[in-house]
Structure formats: C-alpha cells, structure tokens
Amino acid sequence: MDFSYTAEQEAFRGELRSWLERKKAEGAFGGTQHRNLDEVVRDGRLWQAALYEGGWCGIHWPREYGGRSAGLLEQILFQEELARVGSPQLINLLALSMVGPVIIAHGTEEQKRRYLKPILTAEEIWCQGYSEPGAGSDLAALSTRAVLDGDAYVINGQKVWTSYAQYAHFCILLARTDPDVPKHKGITMFIMDMRVPGVEVRPLRQMNGDSEFNEVYLEDVRVPRQNIVGKEGQGWDMAVALLMHERATLTFQRQLQSRVALRDLIRFSQEWDAPGEPPMNDPIQRQRIAQAYIDSEAMRLTALRHLTRQLRGGQPGPEGSMEKLFWSEMYQRMLVGAVDMLGPYGNLAPGDPHAPEDGRWPHLMLYSRGRTIAAGTSEIQRGIIAQRVLGMPKDR
Ligand SMILES: Cc1cc2nc3c(=O)[nH]c(=O)nc-3n(C[C@H](O)[C@H](O)[C@H](O)COP(=O)(O)OP(=O)(O)OC[C@H]3O[C@@H](n4cnc5c(N)ncnc54)[C@H](O)[C@@H]3O)c2cc1C
C-alpha cells in the first residue's frame, strides 16, 4: 500500500483545504448542535450551493456535466478533507453519487440537460423509491406496478423508508412493468416528479423524534414515457449500475459521518462542560474513546487497502460488505459509549434545557441504529461474506 500522493494530488488537496477553511470560518456549514430536519435541509442546500459555486460539487462527474472528472484518489482526498474540516454530509448525496452518474451513463440528452445541473446546485433534491413493505432485502420482489397508457405510465403502489421524500422534487423509482417475466427482468427505472397528482408522502416518526423517512403512496400517478432511465425492463440493471457507481468511494463517504462525530466526541470529552466526572479522568471511558479511535483508523486503512486494489485494476468485490458491516457497528458502539459517558443526562433529548450539547449524543445514538439496516442489513452483509469470501454454502 502506497500512502504518498503525487504533486498534483497534493496541489488539489492544498487548494481544497484552504477553500474549505475559508468557508468554515465564514460559518458556511453551521455548528455541531442538533437542529431540526427543516433546518438541516435548508442549511445543507446552501452549503452544497456554495460547494458548487466554488467548483467543488460532483467532482467525480465529467467536466462537460459540471464536475471535475476527478479520479478515485481525488474523490478520497475530497472526503478526507471534508471530514477534517467537520463538514456535514452533502444533502443531495443520493443524487450526486448515484442518480447523476446513471443519468450521465444511461440517460437521454434531454434528461441530462434537464436534471443534472439542479442536482449539483441542490436546487432539486432527490429521493430513492426502491423499498416497499414487501420488498427490502429482496428488492426484486417489488410490486409497485407501472402500466403504459398512451404516452405515460400509470403507477400504483407503495414505497417505504423513502428518505427525504418530503423535501424531494424527484424520485428515482423502481416499478414493475412486466409481471409475467422472471422478477429481475420486469422492473423499470423511472424519474418521477414528486409534485404531481397521486403522490402522497406520509412522514414516519423515528425513535429519535425526526421524520427523515416516509411512506410514499402512489395512486394513478402519470409518469411520461420519456422519464424512463435506460429501457423498459432494464430497471434492475440500472439499479445495479447505480450501486456500482458509489461502491468504490462509499465507505469514505460514510466515514465522513463517523469521523466528524468521533472528532467532536474527543473534543467534548476533553472540554467537558457536562455534569459528572470528566471522562478523561475515568480509565474505562478513556479506553472506550481510544478504542473508538482505533476502530476508526482500522476502518480507514482497510478501506484504503481495498481502494489500492481497485486502483491496480481490481473490481470492487465482497469486501464492501465487510466495510459496511464494520463501519455501521463501530459507529453504533462509539455513540453508545458517548451516551454512557453522560450518565443519566444521556437520556435527555434535544430541546431539554439540561441536555448536554443540546441532546446531540442520544439523538445521534438513536439515529445510528438505522445504519445496520439501511443499504443492506447486517444479516445480509454477513451472508455475502459467508458465501463470497469464506466460500460457505448458499443459504436455503
Ligand atoms: C435510515 C434508513 C434509510 C433508508 N432510506 C431508504 C431510501 O431512501 N429508499 C429506499 O428505497 N429504502 C430506504 N431504506 C430501506 C432499506 O433499504 C431497507 O430497510 C433494507 O433494505 C432492509 O429491508 P426491510 O426493512 O424490508 O427488511 P427485511 O428485508 O424485511 O428484513 C427483515 C429482517 O430479516 C432479515 N433478513 C432478510 N433477508 C434475509 C436473508 N436472506 N438472510 C438473513 N436475514 C435476512 C434482515 O436482516 C432483517 O433483520 C432505508 C432504511 C433505513 C433504516
């Protein structure tokens, strides 16, 4: 593994770092305190627009579509620098990392002209309409139906867990166009306008009090024929292509969340203005913090090792499952530790006048429970590792 960067990559990093430091000093990405989702989305859109203005949004997109045609290493450097400076996750991440690249690779010229730029500027937010009440881990079992009627498809069904649907202008939607062929073959990918008649978004309240995800009910929603991405019946291939677009850099994007939280936790334990014994005086808590740091570095170095293999021509493989599994579990461990440090005060939610750091740690801890479910549950990841890494027999 070679950790050194070329002069060009160092120049890229230097330019980015000074731009980010300047923006941080201007308060461009807000503080670390918990804010409600409306504020998170509003500030997130402003921050992404600032990145776009500075030429730092969608850097992996080709230049002709507003990106920088950045290679894998520049993308990693970008994530590292965002984490270093404490940037929040980019608000239109789904569209930047998956929808945009798929439209660039498989979309029509008209789709490229219409949708790409507002993704970069965060003028238009996207959500992902894949999961359904009867289709999660087994996504290909989805039953939302799309039937061609003249120049539009009429869509009926229900999606669930649709993150940010209440803020989204568009949804990248999977629906079944042919129920008579094997399940992977009859699925089509659509761009669905979220503001048309028949789309009803019902927010789901999560245990941390936020409503990040939603149920989305679709009743006779008309989606123009030209809003298919790829071809009819190719939706599964499109969905897989979409996932492939983010696999190489996904762990680094995820680490942005956990490393920013870890850095803040270390700061908080050192400054400690909460009630009770400062954790730095308690050997058990000190070891916990040290362990969280070791986990985080082990994760980062493992991801870099896998990246090195890809840079040498290898394909992303089942190691992505090891990264996802380890990352989601280590993130939860760290946040349980953070809440534990606070003793009884760790039970106080945002808004409580006695809650240290405005209840940020229990809020994040409860949020992190979803990380072992979203994007493939831990059981699914373990199944992949068992079969594809360890060569165990297929589950029946
Ligand atoms: C925070 C969060 C955000 C999300 N955002 C979105 C979004 O924006 N858009 C979207 O489409 N979806 C989203 N999801 C949905 C997510 O993709 C699904 O929750 C996930 O794929 C699991 O599906 P499920 O919930 O239907 O559980 P199921 O698939 O029903 O699984 C239930 C349980 O059975 C286990 N299980 C299932 N199959 C197997 C197997 N073969 N072997 C062993 N165990 C198995 C699972 O591990 C789980 O414990 C989000 C989920 C979360 C938590």
Side-chain angles (χ1 to χ4, degrees):
M1 190 165 23
D2 180 4
F3 285 108
S4 53
Y5 294 111
T6 64
E8 261 175 27
Q9 286 158 351
E10 287 294 358
F12 171 90
R13 187 218 288 271
E15 189 193 345
L16 173 60
R17 187 174 286 184
S18 50
W19 187 86
L20 285 171
E21 293 288 1
R22 202 168 63 246
K23 287 290 156 187
K24 184 180 184 178
E26 289 169 10
F29 42 85
T32 57
Q33 299 301 308
H34 169 68
R35 294 155 298 150
N36 68 42
L37 263 192
D38 289 350
E39 289 169 349
V40 169
V41 173
R42 183 200 60 204
D43 293 354
R45 289 177 75 180
L46 290 174
W47 172 223
Q48 198 185 305
L51 278 162
Y52 175 76
E53 284 300 316
W56 294 109
C57 203
I59 60 165
H60 55 302
W61 289 22
R63 278 185 201 285
E64 57 180 309
Y65 299 118
R68 283 182 175 236
S69 301
L72 266 185
L73 267 182
E74 281 83 10
Q75 293 174 49
I76 303 308
L77 280 174
F78 180 72
Q79 294 296 333
E80 294 261 347
E81 290 303 312
L82 286 187
R84 205 185 72 86
V85 82
S87 160
Q89 192 76 267
L90 301 197
I91 194 71
N92 222 5
L93 184 64
L94 164 81
L96 286 169
S97 61
M98 298 201 274
V99 178
V102 162
I103 291 181
I104 290 168
H106 304 282
T108 61
E109 275 314 306
E110 198 189 333
Q111 289 171 348
K112 291 176 192 172
R113 264 198 315 277
R114 168 62 189 87
Y115 299 112
L116 292 178
K117 186 169 171 216
I119 288 178
L120 290 173
T121 58
E123 277 165 274
E124 290 173 349
I125 302 289
W126 285 66
C127 63
Q128 183 178 36
Y130 281 21
S131 306
E132 298 182 2
S137 302
D138 183 11
L139 182 59
L142 62 87
S143 62
T144 290
R145 208 47 186 100
V147 178
L148 189 59
D149 175 32
D151 58 0
Y153 284 84
V154 179
I155 303 192
N156 282 284
Q158 188 205 331
K159 296 291 170 180
V160 72
W161 315 125
T162 322
S163 304
Y164 297 99
Q166 70 273 51
Y167 301 104
H169 301 79
F170 291 98
C171 176
I172 195 82
L173 180 91
L174 292 181
R176 189 164 301 284
T177 36
D178 188 348
D180 299 323
V181 292
K183 62 181 181 180
H184 293 87
K185 303 271 180 210
I187 297 172
T188 301
M189 179 178 275
F190 295 94
I191 295 171
M192 183 180 76
D193 189 331
M194 292 293 286
R195 315 284 164 100
V196 297
V199 178
E200 189 194 341
V201 176
R202 295 188 199 164
L204 289 166
R205 197 170 148 87
Q206 293 149 226
M207 64 179 167
N208 67 358
D210 285 344
S211 292
E212 180 183 306
F213 46 59
N214 305 265
E215 295 175 303
V216 178
Y217 288 84
L218 307 171
E219 197 183 336
D220 293 333
V221 179
R222 291 187 74 83
V223 174
R225 209 174 176 169
Q226 65 265 27
N227 284 20
I228 285 184
V229 184
K231 295 201 169 64
E232 189 182 295
Q234 276 188 349
W236 189 256
D237 301 338
M238 291 295 118
V240 171
L242 209 130
L243 288 175
M244 290 306 290
H245 274 292
E246 65 161 4
R247 276 183 76 175
T249 58
L250 187 60
T251 304
F252 294 91
Q253 290 172 25
R254 289 189 178 122
Q255 285 183 82
L256 179 56
Q257 245 176 7
S258 53
R259 285 173 62 196
V260 170
L262 175 61
R263 200 202 49 180
D264 289 347
L265 181 62
I266 294 171
R267 175 204 39 81
F268 178 48
S269 341
Q270 284 166 340
E271 294 170 1
W272 198 251
D273 58 357
E277 186 69 15
M280 287 302 176
N281 296 347
D282 177 338
I284 303 283
Q285 301 294 9
R286 286 159 63 110
Q287 281 182 25
R288 262 185 153 165
I289 296 168
Q291 188 60 49
Y293 179 75
I294 292 166
D295 282 355
S296 176
E297 282 299 287
M299 173 80 254
R300 190 172 73 85
L301 296 174
T302 303
L304 281 172
R305 196 175 62 218
H306 293 156
L307 178 77
T308 306
R309 197 178 313 146
Q310 287 172 51
L311 287 169
R312 291 184 183 146
Q315 292 298 315
E319 63 271 13
S321 290
M322 290 161 58
E323 292 176 4
K324 159 70 181 25
L325 183 62
F326 186 76
W327 170 80
S328 51
E329 293 187 349
M330 102 185 176
Y331 188 43
Q332 290 178 356
R333 266 197 307 278
M334 172 177 78
L335 291 165
V336 167
V339 169
D340 200 40
M341 270 181 206
L342 291 165
Y345 287 84
N347 292 314
L348 300 179
D352 188 294
H354 302 291
E357 302 221 305
D358 194 26
R360 175 184 186 208
W361 297 105
H363 180 269
L364 260 186
M365 187 272 280
L366 292 175
Y367 165 84
S368 75
R369 305 308 302 169
R371 298 289 95 188
T372 42
I373 302 171
T377 66
S378 292
E379 290 79 10
I380 293 295
Q381 309 299 349
R382 287 196 167 89
I384 294 170
I385 294 165
Q387 282 168 40
R388 296 187 45 205
V389 180
L390 303 176
M392 290 184 177
K394 206 168 164 27
D395 187 21
R396 273 180 294 150

